[in-house]
Amino acid sequence: MTQSGFRNVLHLSYRDYRAVPEELRECSDEIDEIYLKENLIRYFPDWFFDELAHLRFLCLAGNVIDTLPTQLGRLQCLETLDLSDNSLQQLPHTIGQLGRLTKLLLNGNWLVQLPSELGRLHSLEVLEVRKNRLTAVPVAIGRCTALQDLLLDDNRTLVSIPMRLFNLPHLCYVSAERCNLFQLPFAINTTSLRFVLLFSGNHSLTHCPLQLERFTQPDYEALDERLRRIRNPSCYRQVRCPSVPYRLNFPSELVRLRARGDPRRGTPRSLLEQALCACSGAMPNGAEEPALAKVSLPRPLATALLAGPIARCSSVPCARPLFTEAILLLAKRKGYARNFPLSALFCSERCTDRWHQYNCDTYEEFPWTLHVP
């Protein structure tokens, strides 16, 4: 056991332990940090969560843990929990009780989903879930208002990330390379985001939202190879653009998708969209699902409110939330050889024209039509 500042640190890594050693009980009151990295530990003894409830740092990376007991929630002093490179398939809902946790490392496991209770970790600053089997990221993580770093690389079945996460107030670093992303968010927190790595290895991305243009990396892959990898699942709204030889994927929630100058400019918003816009202004950001249940909202409406809008109007002075309809503009920077479309969504013809007026010298607009299966 060593001392680090005012903390007592116990190093028990690389010792082939097959269980948490009983010797810990003899000095449990003196320990703040424990390293049990690269052992063969599979489970936790019952005494661990009671006698070490004061732990502030716990590293169990590189073991063979496949299940975490619900007693994990008793470690309410934990600030860092490293469970990387184990065999975890799920997390207990009690992980949401670790209110002081600032860093959660879950890389290299078999996680298919994350519990919504992670949204209760309001002190969480770093969440790493690389090299797992995630298919989705819960929108509840959008309530982790202290989150700064979100790493999701190498989740081969991950198809999208909720837009609400990209608007967290302190988010600085997002990485989700080598996943299977089909679409990217249309609105991000431009104040705090500095590093966004989303384009490498996500071969089914068909366009880039305009707000993410500054984070794009050059794609030197041959076009015929790219065409073999692009997919268009039926659950997405699809658009044909003559400038590119593949269909573009858009959220299916966009029931009405119109082009600039479309004669249907007077089409009224649906009753659902009007209700969503009204409720989104009244509901606090990141409203809890139980709170929505108390007002007996229809399930589709409650789900849409929890997830937040599909986008916000790309006209900066406006930024109105968009739920079910939008005007779509496709473009590329003039002089660029690549015809990888940049996309922007607007709430009205007026906002679209305003954007075009100020950007027509910089961007070349692409025509498009809706794909009808």
Side-chain angles (χ1 to χ4, degrees), residues 131-299:
K131 296 183 180 179
N132 278 272
R133 301 176 181 181
L134 297 181
T135 57
V137 180
V139 70
I141 295 177
R143 300 197 297 269
C144 298
T145 53
L147 194 64
Q148 298 177 18
D149 295 353
L150 177 63
L151 281 69
L152 298 163
D153 308 278
D154 297 294
N155 282 278
R156 299 291 184 175
T157 50
L158 182 63
V159 297
S160 66
I161 304 171
M163 189 184 79
R164 178 162 282 174
L165 272 63
F166 285 83
N167 287 273
L168 287 167
H170 302 292
L171 193 65
C172 177
Y173 187 106
V174 178
S175 182
E177 296 187 321
R178 296 172 301 280
C179 293
N180 195 28
L181 297 180
F182 283 87
Q183 63 183 38
L184 298 174
F186 285 93
I188 65 170
N189 176 7
T190 55
T191 303
S192 65
L193 267 175
R194 293 291 180 269
F195 305 96
V196 177
L197 303 175
L198 297 172
F199 297 92
S200 177
N202 286 304
H203 302 292
S204 291
L205 291 177
T206 57
H207 59 96
C208 174
L210 197 61
Q211 278 200 310
L212 290 170
E213 181 190 9
R214 62 192 172 104
F215 299 112
T216 58
Q217 299 98 23
D219 183 2
Y220 298 108
E221 195 170 32
L223 180 60
D224 56 348
E225 177 66 20
R226 181 175 178 81
L227 290 175
R228 281 198 293 269
R229 297 187 180 185
I230 285 179
R231 287 188 286 162
N232 298 102
S234 58
C235 58
Y236 284 84
R237 198 98 160 108
Q238 292 166 20
V239 163
R240 289 188 183 276
C241 177
S243 300
V244 294
Y246 50 82
R247 299 196 302 273
L248 280 58
N249 298 320
F250 285 86
S252 59
E253 292 86 350
L254 288 171
V255 179
R256 294 190 183 95
L257 199 56
R258 297 186 286 128
R260 187 168 72 94
D262 192 311
R264 294 172 299 166
R265 59 191 299 170
T267 303
R269 288 184 295 178
S270 67
L271 180 62
L272 171 61
E273 184 171 31
Q274 293 179 51
L276 284 167
C277 289
C279 291
S280 66
M283 296 296 294
N285 187 32
E288 301 262 359
E289 188 166 1
L292 293 175
K294 290 179 182 178
V295 294
S296 302
L297 289 174
R299 187 67 193 180

Side-chain angles (χ1 to χ4, degrees), residues 87-99:
S87 303
L88 292 170
Q89 299 183 45
Q90 61 182 8
L91 300 176
H93 62 89
T94 52
I95 197 167
Q97 297 174 15
L98 307 181

Side-chain angles (χ1 to χ4, degrees), residues 85-147:
D85 299 315
N86 278 278
S87 303
L88 292 170
Q89 299 183 45
Q90 61 182 8
L91 300 176
H93 62 89
T94 52
I95 197 167
Q97 297 174 15
L98 307 181
R100 297 185 185 180
L101 201 64
T102 61
K103 184 179 293 186
L104 179 58
L105 309 179
L106 299 164
N107 304 310
N109 281 280
W110 298 348
L111 295 169
V112 175
Q113 61 182 8
L114 298 173
S116 60
E117 285 79 8
L118 286 179
R120 297 168 59 187
L121 303 179
H122 300 304
S123 298
L124 192 65
E125 297 176 359
V126 177
L127 176 60
E128 297 187 9
V129 203
R130 296 175 295 183
K131 296 183 180 179
N132 278 272
R133 301 176 181 181
L134 297 181
T135 57
V137 180
V139 70
I141 295 177
R143 300 197 297 269
C144 298
T145 53
L147 194 64

